[in-house]
Amino acid sequence: MTSDPFDQLRLSDQPVPPDRRFAARLRVRVANALSDPPRERRTFMTTDTDPTTTTTSLVPYLCVSAATDALAWYTDVFGAVETVRFTGDDGRIGHAEMTVGTSSFMLSDEYPELDVHSPQSLGGTPVTLHLAVPDVDAVYERAVAAGAVAAGEPKDESYGARSVSMHDPFGHRWMVQTPTGSPTWEDVQAQTDGFTITQGATGDAGTSDLPSDPA
Amino acid sequence: MAGARTSGDPRADLLALYDEAVAHVYGYVLARCRDRATAEDVTADVFLGAVDDVRRSVVGHVTTAWLIGIARHKLIDHWRRMEREQRRLEAVAADPTIASGDGFDDWDVQLDVLTARDALDHLGAHHRAALTLRYLDDLPVAAVADVLGRTVHATEALLVRARRAFRVVYESQPGTPEEVQP
């Protein structure tokens, strides 16, 4: 009895890491799809390249004085993944995108001719970027070792997070947190002196990808 | 990141599994379609399909094996879609030698794997799917029938036709032993 020649086709499957930018983009899409409102049950097709399906509505766009260094720093310290980079003929990075966790952000070098300036040129930043990570202490250690200036060490806050604030070497301010619980606002109020907490409307924020206009 | 993989919350589990599983799913798909862009498309379909299942609460345990099961369906969907879109004539199915096919099942040959994979590319979606599941994936006929939504009997018949179609294409490819004799 002869063996079946078709048996020679059997594959022993090995994992193959896909292109890391593809993997990072897909991760964001999966995370966003998981967190969509439940009744919005779309089936995403990969042939859809509508950018609204791949990002959230509000995305920080950072200007840094040394974009190449910043891309490396956010990769090493935050575990962010670079997904695209536009390098200009003059050597400046005109646009780059990174994903971190379930979010993405953009950055570029300085373009003073377009009124795009880094915190270092402006002498500070009025914006804090809030980043949730699995282990704030580990991120803190890496950040400080890589030149960040932190306002103290991570500590447990009454609102249900272990938190630390820091300025990265490019002048951007980050509040890095790991959730530790989910107290109600009433619980938080009970432990908060000097502030009165009021809550806005809660509930359905709509099912569209795009924010609705306040009429 | 590592650690708690089974939190009991399938949504959290799926995201926690993603970084490890994406290489398994992509590897599975790439080995069967051999085209990076297609493999990326199908891999995305797999995970977004998994999200749909998780959201509809039709899944208990989020595992890589479960994702590979979705990949089988998505790959077959892809081939069917491709066939519809291209409206490709299935030259093989029209080949009269397949229908008669006397002696086709006594085939003793050392298959050249690359040529064989090229031959699979030229088969119709249903033949390609049947052979992929049965031989590349090494699934039992009953499992192939399950994935394809056919009876075991119909699947056996499909496999016979698929093997014949495969052989016709395989032997017509340049570089097969029959054609490189001095």
Side-chain angles (χ1 to χ4, degrees), chain B residues 55-71:
Chain B
R55 293 169 60 102
R56 284 185 288 125
S57 305
V58 295
V59 54
H61 296 288
V62 173
T63 63
T64 301
W66 167 67
L67 290 168
I68 296 294
I70 297 176

Side-chain angles (χ1 to χ4, degrees), chain B residues 2-182:
Chain B
R5 176 135 302 159
T6 48
S7 66
D9 173 6
R11 291 188 185 210
D13 289 346
L14 179 57
L15 205 53
L17 183 62
Y18 174 84
D19 291 323
E20 177 194 316
V22 69
H24 288 273
V25 171
Y26 180 77
Y28 173 87
V29 176
L30 184 66
R32 282 154 186 80
C33 69
R34 298 184 303 159
D35 165 27
R36 183 180 135 172
T38 303
E40 289 186 354
D41 279 355
V42 174
T43 299
D45 280 346
V46 171
F47 279 96
L48 296 167
V51 169
D52 273 353
D53 285 353
V54 163
R55 293 169 60 102
R56 284 185 288 125
S57 305
V58 295
V59 54
H61 296 288
V62 173
T63 63
T64 301
W66 167 67
L67 290 168
I68 296 294
I70 297 176
R72 290 199 169 100
H73 286 282
K74 295 298 183 186
L75 198 54
I76 293 167
D77 287 348
H78 164 76
W79 288 329
R80 287 175 178 156
R81 199 162 55 230
M82 200 169 65
E83 190 171 65
R84 276 200 305 274
E85 285 172 1
Q86 298 183 352
R87 300 193 185 287
R88 197 174 50 180
L89 263 181
E90 209 178 305
V92 175
D95 190 320
T97 56
I98 297 171
S100 54
D102 287 338
F104 257 87
D105 297 325
D106 318 320
W107 194 28
D108 189 11
V109 65
Q110 185 74 29
L111 289 183
D112 177 78
V113 171
L114 283 179
T115 308
R117 305 303 305 281
D118 285 339
L120 285 172
D121 285 345
H122 289 91
L123 294 182
H126 54 312
H127 288 164
R128 182 180 193 168
L131 293 178
T132 296
L133 294 170
R134 178 68 187 90
Y135 297 108
L136 276 64
D137 289 19
D138 196 30
L139 293 183
V141 174
V144 176
D146 193 44
V147 174
L148 295 179
R150 290 169 179 250
T151 64
V152 170
H153 183 72
T155 303
E156 284 170 343
L158 174 64
L159 280 165
V160 169
R161 290 195 302 276
R163 288 169 59 111
R164 290 173 181 167
F166 175 88
R167 183 170 172 183
V168 169
V169 173
Y170 182 86
E171 292 183 340
S172 70
Q173 304 248 338
T176 48
E178 287 78 1
E179 302 202 5
V180 292
Q181 288 165 7

